[in-house]
Every structure is written in structure tokens, then in C-alpha cells.
Amino acid sequence: MTDPSRARLYEELSMESRRYLAAYVLFNQAVADHLGLHPTDVQALSLLTAGPEPLTVRQIADMTGLTTGSATRLVDRLERGGYVARTPDTHDRRRVLVTPVPERVARVTALWDDLGRTWRTILDDHTEDELRAITRHMRRANDLSHTQIRHLRSLPKRD
């Protein structure tokens, strides 16, 4: 049996998590609107710049849940906007890598950096142990989200 106090904390955390996730989706939409991009394009740029290596269209499709055709159209839009370039894979000539264009991505990064400084103020009064706990939670939530995404995608579609 769960302690009533802990049950109330779980409920409060659940409600705040839902509000946070909705606020993040709306925030992402506002960033996309400001940049004249689609929200999925903004997230794809985030994924492309979060790792050290360029990605293939297939990897972008897998990461975003898009079909390869939709991921190709996404890359086409980003390429037209000058945010990415398609480059041949030097190790496998059959593959094409999607590479961020640093000068153009700097426009997005500058916006994220500017907004990030403001977001960071909500963390300023936390101790290092609290920041480690928040980081651990975010990492675990990210991992769980990917597990849940794979599970949901494996289920038959509802009518």
C-alpha cells in the first residue's frame, strides 16, 4: 500500500508533468513559428545537432517516427532553408548523410541559447545534488519515453 502522502506527491508530479509536456510542445511550436519552420523540423534540427555525427534520412525517420518518405521531405525542407546539406558518406558511397550547415543552424542555436539563459534561472537555486537528481530523472524519462514509443508503435492501429 502506498503512503497517502507519497500518493499525493505522485499525483501532483503527474499533473505538473502533463503541464510541462504541454508547455514544451507549445514552446516548440512558438520557436518553429518564429523561425518559419515546422515543429518537427525544429526537433529534427535539435537531434541533428545533439550528436557528433551526421545522420542518414533513415536514422532521422527512426528517431522521429516518420516514414522514410516523410523524413525525406523534412530533409528537403531543411535543405531548401539552408539548414542542412546532403553529403556523400565517405565510408559507404551508397549512403547520403544529412549534415547541419553551421552558419544557418547558428540562427536556431542563438535563439535556443537566448531562451536557455532564461530557462536556466529556474535552476539557479538548486544544489548540485538536486541538479544531479533532475538530470538523472530527465535521462531516465528520456529512456522510458523511447521505450514507450517503441511499444506504442508496435501495437495495432485503432479505428
Side-chain angles (χ1 to χ4, degrees):
M1 178 189 241
T2 303
D3 172 9
S5 175
R6 190 168 182 93
R8 280 192 301 279
L9 284 171
Y10 279 152
E11 182 61 28
E12 183 179 355
L13 181 57
S14 175
M15 291 303 293
E16 290 304 321
S17 292
R18 289 173 55 197
R19 287 184 182 114
Y20 171 78
L21 292 171
Y24 183 81
V25 168
L26 295 170
F27 169 76
N28 185 65
Q29 179 68 58
V31 169
D33 291 345
H34 179 78
L35 295 169
L37 296 171
H38 188 278
T40 305
D41 298 356
V42 172
Q43 289 306 303
L45 277 175
S46 181
L47 293 169
L48 278 164
T49 58
E53 302 293 325
L55 301 173
T56 64
V57 171
R58 162 58 67 197
Q59 288 171 312
I60 293 169
D62 291 345
M63 293 171 91
T64 59
L66 296 171
T67 64
T68 52
S70 293
T72 297
R73 288 187 294 280
L74 179 151
V75 171
D76 289 344
R77 288 191 304 272
L78 291 176
E79 188 175 41
R80 275 193 307 274
Y83 292 99
V84 301
R86 287 179 167 100
T87 58
D89 185 337
T90 57
H91 302 294
D92 183 348
R93 293 175 10 142
R94 296 168 296 173
R95 291 182 356 152
V96 173
L97 300 174
V98 180
T99 307
V101 174
E103 301 80 23
R104 188 69 168 143
V105 170
R107 176 179 180 227
V108 180
T109 304
L111 181 61
W112 282 330
D113 289 348
D114 182 47
L115 296 169
R117 280 187 290 280
T118 305
W119 277 92
R120 199 169 173 173
T121 63
I122 67 173
L123 300 171
D124 284 346
D125 64 344
H126 289 286
T127 67
E128 287 185 18
D129 284 342
E130 289 172 328
L131 291 174
R132 279 190 277 279
I134 293 167
T135 301
R136 185 177 64 246
H137 166 76
M138 296 301 287
R139 191 173 291 123
R140 291 169 70 189
N142 180 52
D143 292 344
L144 178 60
S145 291
H146 286 286
T147 299
Q148 295 291 16
I149 289 167
R150 283 190 298 276
H151 172 71
L152 284 170
R153 289 184 180 150
S154 72
L155 296 174
K157 300 270 192 252
R158 290 189 165 190
D159 292 336

